[in-house]
């Protein structure tokens, strides 16, 4: 490659990594810290079990994604439209975040808010299929782990800035752009800000990252034919890359445990340790700092030691930290700050190295398909963290007689991570991948 070509690819690599920063408003603001809290606390009518309804919306979104993810990835591989569909999904997310601005704090807007929440989850996860599939095309064998880790760290850095601007620029002040905040405008304006952020920072990927070529000689498939071909694709992947196939299964389990750490982290801080909404956002800022550092360091270790070792080490760290949160819960908020931040330190490298492992050992030309399966397998077991969380709390209440047994939910998440770790250790860290036919 010429120096000019190397420079062009380097710009493409940075533009790819910047998308992690660009899409960060959705997981940080719309999925975790602000929008669901606003829906459940300000929009929903009292006594309507808003938290449970958010769970139903999430579950339905997961089922839909599990059905469509493998076909979406496979079709983008064959049609040469990987970047195209990533951009389409990105700007649908922009529209969803902008539409959330119009959700007023009135019960009649709650269902509309749930629809935006659920559809946004499907669109974001669909975007990840093509985004992850691009990783191999913007990296080399020597820097793939580092680039993946830095991109994940860049996303966490974006989360820090987003939460700081949201909290100190919009939510805490009594005015919005010099006018008194009314009708929850101080919160709703954050959703509009999130949409603008994603729209602007996704432009470099659109301009700098090249599209893949369409596979020649492939007859155009209908969506129904794509589903019919899926089973054959699974069997061929098991033959062509058996350890990649096994990794998809193990990662589905431990990634749901990782998702549970984030999903229920704010609930744990609020109910078990008495954190206020402002304290939760402040913790979120610190969590993003720590997770970003972990992802960046983990990326370098990935290139030096291998993806599986980084993931296994991270899972062990998560299990130890999570167990510590449960054991030392009686010490109060200091336990949540120390144990919770340790959990975040290990979540980043586990997530980043997971996509790196798949990229390293996926047959050439099947990246979109395999990352579609990566999303599908994760969604297929997405009920685990919620189920084990609820069961553990129920058992804790029965054993202790305590009305508030939220802390016992941590044990359920640790069980999922342990099972995922055991299955991961059965995967060859350097699997052989046969040439794609």
């Amino acid at each position: 490659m010429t120096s000019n070509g190397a420079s062009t690819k380097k710009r493409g690599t940075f533009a790819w990594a910047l998308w992690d920063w660009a899409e960060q408003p959705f997981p940080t603001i719309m999925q975790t810290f602000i929008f669901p809290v606003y829906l459940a606390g300000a929009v929903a009518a009292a006594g309507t079990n808003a938290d449970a309804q958010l769970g139903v919306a999430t579950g339905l979104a997961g089922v839909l994604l599990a059905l469509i993810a493998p076909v979406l990835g496979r079709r983008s591989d064959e049609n040469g439209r990987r970047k195209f569909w990533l951009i389409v999904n990105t700007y649908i997310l922009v529209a969803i975040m902008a539409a959330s601005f119009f959700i007023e704090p009135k019960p009649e807007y709650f269902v509309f808010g749930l629809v935006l929440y659920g559809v946004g989850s499907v669109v974001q996860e669909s975007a990840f299929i093509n985004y992850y599939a691009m990783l191999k095309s913007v990296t080399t064998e020597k820097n793939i782990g580092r680039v993946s880790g830095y991109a994940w760290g860049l996303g966490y850095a974006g989360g820090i800035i987003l939460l700081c601007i949201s909290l100190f620029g919009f939510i805490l002040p009594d005015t919005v752009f010099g006018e008194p905040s009314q009708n929850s405008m101080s919160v709703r304006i954050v959703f509009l800000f999130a949409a603008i952020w994603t729209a602007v920072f996704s432009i470099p990927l659109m301009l700098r990252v090249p599209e893949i070529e369409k596979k020649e000689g492939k007859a155009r498939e209908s969506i129904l034919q794509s589903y019919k071909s899926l089973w054959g694709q699974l069997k061929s992947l098991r033959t062509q890359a058996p350890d990649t196939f096994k990794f998809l299964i193990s990662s589905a389990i431990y990634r749901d445990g990782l998702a549970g750490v984030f999903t229920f982290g704010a609930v744990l801080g609020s109910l078990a340790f008495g954190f206020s909404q402002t304290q939760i956002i402040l913790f979120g800022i610190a969590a993003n700092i720590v997770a970003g550092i972990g992802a960046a360091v983990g990326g370098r270790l990935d290139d030096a030691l291998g993806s599986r070792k980084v993931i296994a080490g991270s899972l062990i760290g998560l299990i130890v930290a999570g167990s510590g949160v449960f054991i030392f819960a009686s010490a109060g908020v200091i336990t949540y700050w120390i144990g919770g931040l340790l959990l975040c330190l290990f979540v980043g490298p586990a997530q980043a190295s997971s996509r790196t492992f798949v990229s390293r050992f996926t047959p050439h030309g099947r990246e979109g398909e395999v990352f579609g399966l990566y999303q599908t397998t994760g969604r297929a077991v997405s009920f685990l963290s919620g189920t084990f969380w609820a069961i553990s709390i129920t058992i804790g209440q029965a054993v202790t007689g305590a009305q508030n047994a939220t802390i016992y939910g941590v044990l359920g998440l640790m069980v999922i991570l342990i099972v995922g770790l055991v299955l991961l250790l059965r995967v060859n860290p350097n699997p052989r991948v046969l040439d794609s036919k």
Side-chain angles (χ1 to χ4, degrees):
M1 181 180 288
T2 65
S3 59
N4 185 55
S7 177
T8 299
K9 182 167 185 177
K10 188 174 182 179
R11 289 197 298 269
T13 301
F14 177 74
W16 176 87
L18 190 64
W19 189 86
D20 251 318
W21 166 288
E23 68 83 36
Q24 195 58 214
F26 198 81
T28 300
I29 289 175
M30 306 304 295
Q31 284 188 317
T32 306
F33 293 107
I34 300 179
F35 187 59
V37 175
Y38 172 67
L39 279 181
V43 180
T48 56
N49 294 319
D51 289 346
Q53 293 185 59
L54 282 168
V56 171
T58 303
L60 291 175
V63 171
L64 179 58
L65 184 73
L67 291 174
I68 66 175
V71 173
L72 291 178
R74 184 167 179 270
R75 289 174 67 83
S76 69
D77 282 344
E78 296 182 352
N79 296 333
R81 309 195 80 182
R82 190 175 289 166
K83 185 176 81 168
F84 171 80
W85 284 114
L86 174 58
I87 294 300
V88 167
N89 285 321
T90 298
Y91 283 92
I92 293 175
L93 278 182
V94 170
I96 288 171
M97 289 186 283
S100 301
F101 170 77
F102 298 99
I103 303 294
E104 297 184 21
K106 301 174 184 177
E108 56 264 34
Y109 286 90
F110 183 63
V111 173
F112 181 40
L114 283 180
V115 171
L116 292 178
Y117 182 79
V119 172
S121 296
V122 174
V123 174
Q124 186 205 34
E125 296 290 344
S126 299
F128 281 147
I129 295 169
N130 291 301
Y131 179 63
Y132 292 169
M134 288 179 175
L135 176 57
K136 190 180 286 187
S137 67
V138 298
T139 59
T140 66
E141 183 63 30
K142 292 183 179 180
N143 70 4
I144 186 172
R146 185 166 67 253
V147 170
S148 179
Y150 280 159
W152 216 291
L154 199 58
Y156 285 126
I160 297 164
I161 295 174
L162 282 161
L163 288 172
C164 286
I165 294 175
S166 298
L167 182 63
F168 299 110
F170 298 114
I171 295 175
L172 289 182
D174 295 326
T175 61
V176 177
F177 301 122
E179 297 294 327
S181 178
Q182 297 178 349
N183 208 23
S184 295
M185 184 59 70
S186 61
V187 175
R188 292 162 55 205
I189 196 69
V190 171
F191 310 144
L192 200 57
F193 165 66
I196 294 170
W197 174 292
T198 299
V200 171
F201 288 114
S202 58
I203 292 174
L205 182 141
M206 190 190 319
L207 298 178
R208 297 290 188 181
V209 179
E211 182 62 277
I212 62 170
E213 295 182 3
K214 180 180 179 179
K215 290 185 179 179
E216 298 298 331
K218 287 281 188 179
R220 187 174 181 84
E221 280 189 341
S222 68
I223 294 178
L224 181 60
Q225 287 171 326
S226 294
Y227 277 107
K228 288 181 178 179
S229 302
L230 178 59
W231 180 247
Q233 294 288 333
L234 283 170
K235 290 194 293 185
S236 68
L237 179 64
R238 188 174 184 181
T239 300
Q240 190 179 354
D243 280 282
T244 300
F245 184 84
K246 287 195 293 184
F247 177 75
L248 290 178
I249 304 226
S250 66
S251 72
I253 294 173
Y254 74 69
R255 282 188 296 126
D256 193 55
L258 298 178
V261 170
F262 270 107
T263 300
F264 300 111
V267 175
L268 182 69
S270 176
L271 298 183
F273 293 95
F275 275 44
S276 67
Q277 174 68 80
T278 298
Q279 288 174 315
I280 288 294
I281 294 178
L282 290 173
F283 178 83
I285 294 170
N288 275 276
I289 293 173
V290 171
I293 293 171
V297 173
R300 285 194 169 273
L301 292 176
D302 190 306
D303 287 328
L305 304 175
S307 301
R308 198 193 73 161
K309 288 183 179 178
V310 172
I311 299 168
S314 298
L315 292 178
I316 291 171
L318 282 160
I319 292 165
V320 171
S323 300
V325 169
F326 176 80
I327 293 169
F328 299 107
S330 60
V333 295
I334 188 65
T335 296
Y336 184 73
W337 274 104
I338 295 176
L341 291 180
L342 280 175
L343 284 168
C344 294
L345 177 68
F346 293 113
V347 164
Q351 291 174 321
S353 288
S354 294
R355 72 180 176 190
T356 305
F357 186 97
V358 177
S359 289
R360 285 186 193 276
F361 304 113
T362 293
H364 180 71
R366 299 185 67 178
E367 293 88 355
E369 172 202 336
V370 173
F371 273 112
L373 293 173
Y374 182 74
Q375 297 298 83
T376 297
T377 52
R379 285 297 180 174
V381 298
S382 61
F383 63 90
L384 285 177
S385 59
T387 302
F388 274 69
W389 171 269
I391 289 175
S392 298
I393 291 174
T394 301
I395 293 175
Q397 288 175 329
V399 172
T400 65
Q403 187 67 29
N404 183 354
T406 306
I407 191 64
Y408 281 84
V410 174
L411 297 181
L413 300 181
M414 295 306 103
V415 169
I416 297 171
L417 293 175
I418 290 170
V419 172
L421 173 62
V422 171
L423 293 176
L424 174 70
L425 295 178
R426 301 181 65 183
V427 177
N428 187 338
N430 295 293
R432 183 171 65 98
V433 179
L434 302 177
D435 290 336
S436 181
K437 300 295 183 183

